[in-house]
Amino acid sequence: MRIRALAIRIILQFIKDKRTLALLFLAPLLVLSLMKLVFDGQAISPDIGTVDLPEAYIGGLSNANAAIIEYDSADEAQQALRENNLDAVIQIGANGPAITLEGSDPSMNKAILLLIQNTLQAKASSIAPAVTYLHGGPDMAPFDSFGPVLIGFFSFFFVFLLAGVSFLRERTSGTLERLLASPIRRSEVVLGYLAGFGLFTLVQSMLIAWYSIHVLGMYMAGQIGYVLLINLLLSLTALTLGTLLSSFASNEFQIIQFIPIVIVPQAFFSGLFNLDAMNPWLQKISNAMPLFYGADAMQGIMIRGEGWSDFQIDVYVLIGFSLLFALLNVLALKKHRRM
Amino acid sequence: MSAIPSMNAELEPALQLHQIQRRFNGKTVLDGISLTIPQGELFGLLGPSGSGKTTLIKLMTGIDQADGGSVRMLGEPIPQLKMLQAFGYMAQADALYNELTGKQNLAFFGALFGLKGEQLQARIQAVAALVELTDHLGKPVGAYSGGMKRRLSLAAALLHEPRLLVLDEPTVGIDPVLRRSVWAELSTLSKQGVTIIVTTHVMDEAEKCNRLGMIRDGKLIAVDTPEAIIAEAGVATIEEAFIALGQQQAVRSGTGATR
């Protein structure tokens, strides 16, 4: 009854606040779209200068999506490289082909080396291995690989921010005091917030998942129901963590200060970057981060098409985090009312 | 079993404080306060800012708990969750939701006290009429003037027809006309038998109370009718009495004498 009243109030407040609604629903879509444009552009097409390269190789390189500019002398080609007109120069020297890379962009370096290697190999060897993919495929772009993590991250980030600020405002405007001067239980306050916000996080999760998969065309091997479930659980974790941490902030700015401490490290440890190269005990830190479990499950479902038995541990851990944060929140409210 | 306390509740004092102690971070904020407020009284708590008025109010309502001593509300020891139903509370801040309309605010606070359906609607209309906001219930509170917010805040505290009303500086920061109207409403409620406890540091408001408690540096330095307090201090006004009694207190306790 009181929980329902609190939930209805939060929903009414939300509906009247168009800008916050836009932040919750449209901002993640905008950022995801930008990410898609940035990371899923056309294949890199390097400009390669050649000196005395046999026609067969030039043809091979052009076919492999490189712009070939032929030079008469090595000096001319090197000059063009220095003037930033070329990404690489290939010349035939005394000891065979020599490659000079422009070198300032690692991803471009790798792309060129791979391209040249493939071209030379195609000429040299007749045994080309047959390549098959267990998951994903040759067309999978970087965006498809970390997209699932981004879906989870943005749900988490925006819900954390909104929940934190809303609960803080309840405190600073004095309405929490008034709330606690009524016979509402502390647990009812927390549950009311969960219910009211839960509705919006559910809608947000569905919107983000639908948009990513059907509009942005993100790679999707699993079931959308599972994606929604994980996304919702992540949002609930963000909601309970946001309201809990708002107890330790005395104004909106201090909520913002939690972003570099609580949100950004989670992004690093959530699978956006490969952690295998990291010190093993540092890798363990990720076990304490809710986003790690959410991202793990999301990647499993969307890329590897995992089923319930594969990601259920992640579900239990996320539920555990939510329960823990909610419980701590009930305790934190003791600061405002002893019973 | 339940009939006896409720019968007694008619006779019990609205509030009974015994040797209240409250410390924050090792600093004593309230020290040895004992006070009994009978039902139906309009009781004023007077004291400078930072004297412990708000802390005392929170102890009286059970929102906060004393480090020592006991508090009973209508005979029941508090803090106790069910006793939060027994009083209406209006804090210094308006504590309203600006995005929502006046009616939505009242409906929410009413629901917290267990009101629902027709009963809730009837109470919303009744309290809105009392504070003359009936015509403005459909407007968002953000569009209310400061005085209207104050009145709505008072209305929210009256929704569940509490027998005890606790108001923390209800007239701070509002214009004289509105202050008079708030006090007119308080007098009306008081005549209907509602016990009212109000804090203030406006001296002319203090004179409207049945009895006054003067609080200074966490100690209750005088409790009596306004007339008796003036007479005892041998001065002409409440304000002078307050200063005179404060100085006596400082000399007696040997602290702050030079202030």
Side-chain angles (χ1 to χ4, degrees), chain B residues 129-177:
Chain B
L130 186 70
V131 298
E132 294 168 28
L133 282 176
T134 309
D135 296 338
H136 305 285
L137 278 183
K139 282 187 201 164
V141 170
Y144 277 26
S145 69
M148 287 160 77
K149 284 184 190 172
R150 211 67 231 171
R151 269 143 61 201
L152 187 67
S153 187
L154 178 61
L158 297 172
L159 271 170
H160 60 294
E161 299 180 83
R163 291 157 67 188
L164 172 62
L165 198 55
V166 180
L167 310 163
D168 197 359
E169 304 201 2
T171 57
V172 74
I174 64 173
D175 65 71
V177 178

Side-chain angles (χ1 to χ4, degrees), chain A:
Chain A
M1 166 80 184
R2 294 192 190 95
I3 297 173
R4 207 185 64 150
L6 191 51
I8 290 174
R9 191 214 85 208
I10 289 169
I11 292 166
L12 282 175
Q13 273 182 300
F14 249 118
I15 291 172
K16 300 243 170 116
D17 188 355
K18 300 280 184 281
R19 212 173 130 150
T20 303
L21 271 187
L23 176 75
L24 193 60
F25 292 142
L26 299 182
L29 304 193
L30 175 74
V31 181
L32 277 170
S33 303
L34 284 175
M35 289 286 211
K36 160 99 177 165
L37 290 175
V38 169
F39 289 102
D40 209 22
Q42 280 143 11
I44 297 171
S45 151
D47 297 321
I48 299 178
T50 60
V51 187
D52 301 334
L53 204 65
E55 277 304 317
Y57 287 119
I58 293 179
L61 287 173
S62 315
N63 289 343
N65 203 12
I68 304 298
I69 303 134
E70 292 183 59
Y71 289 90
D72 294 331
S73 77
D75 288 345
E76 262 181 79
Q78 295 293 344
Q79 183 62 32
L81 189 65
R82 269 194 292 276
E83 284 166 5
N84 220 352
N85 295 328
L86 293 176
D87 297 309
V89 170
I90 309 178
Q91 59 196 94
I92 303 292
N95 307 322
I99 303 163
T100 315
L101 293 170
E102 198 274 331
S104 57
D105 179 356
S107 64
M108 183 60 96
N109 298 346
K110 266 188 207 154
I112 294 170
L113 288 176
L114 187 71
L115 190 139
I116 294 173
Q117 206 174 20
N118 285 344
T119 315
L120 296 180
Q121 232 168 27
K123 294 288 157 201
S125 81
S126 52
I127 332 157
V131 179
T132 52
Y133 292 79
L134 180 58
H135 301 295
D139 297 330
M140 207 166 104
F143 182 68
D144 291 315
S145 157
F146 60 67
V149 181
L150 289 180
I151 294 181
F153 176 75
F154 288 121
S155 302
F156 193 91
F157 178 61
F158 288 107
V159 170
F160 174 85
L161 211 57
L162 282 184
V165 171
S166 305
F167 204 66
L168 177 96
R169 228 186 256 169
E170 185 96 62
R171 218 175 73 222
T172 52
S173 70
T175 47
L176 182 67
E177 193 188 353
R178 175 161 241 162
L179 212 61
L180 291 175
S182 80
I184 193 169
R185 289 172 193 282
R186 281 178 285 129
S187 56
E188 288 175 322
V189 175
V190 175
L191 286 174
Y193 255 77
L194 271 177
F197 265 91
L199 182 80
F200 287 94
T201 56
L202 180 69
V203 175
Q204 189 209 37
S205 298
M206 294 201 301
L207 190 66
I208 294 182
W210 168 81
Y211 186 82
S212 305
I213 294 163
H214 292 285
V215 178
L216 296 182
M218 201 180 279
Y219 188 85
M220 173 67 176
Q223 291 187 29
I224 189 143
Y226 289 151
V227 172
L228 287 181
L229 174 73
I230 298 294
N231 215 13
L232 184 66
L233 287 176
L234 255 184
S235 304
L236 286 183
T237 313
L239 173 57
T240 47
L241 181 63
T243 47
L244 173 64
L245 288 184
S246 77
S247 304
F248 304 101
S250 49
N251 54 47
E252 273 91 343
F253 182 52
Q254 292 192 348
I255 296 270
I256 304 292
Q257 289 166 6
F258 281 122
I259 294 175
I261 299 169
V262 176
I263 303 290
V264 175
Q266 293 207 67
F268 287 134
F269 282 87
S270 63
L272 278 183
F273 305 100
N274 198 327
L275 297 183
D276 292 341
M278 197 187 264
N279 196 322
W281 67 265
L282 270 177
Q283 285 180 33
K284 293 244 183 330
I285 297 177
S286 58
N287 291 338
M289 301 193 173
L291 201 53
F292 169 77
Y293 299 94
D296 180 60
M298 291 286 262
Q299 275 188 317
I301 296 162
M302 291 187 67
I303 298 171
R304 294 187 290 276
E306 285 181 358
W308 173 255
S309 57
D310 299 308
F311 65 78
Q312 56 173 335
I313 301 281
D314 294 320
V315 170
Y316 301 144
V317 173
L318 285 177
I319 291 175
F321 269 121
S322 296
L323 283 178
L324 174 72
F325 295 148
L327 210 65
L328 288 175
N329 206 351
V330 173
L331 288 177
L333 280 174
K334 261 198 156 166
K335 212 164 72 178
H336 305 285
R337 195 181 73 189
R338 295 289 187 91
M339 69 204 140

Side-chain angles (χ1 to χ4, degrees), chain B residues 90-102:
Chain B
M90 179 177 161
Q92 284 180 23
D94 285 326
L96 299 164
Y97 300 100
N98 285 330
E99 304 90 340
L100 304 184
T101 64

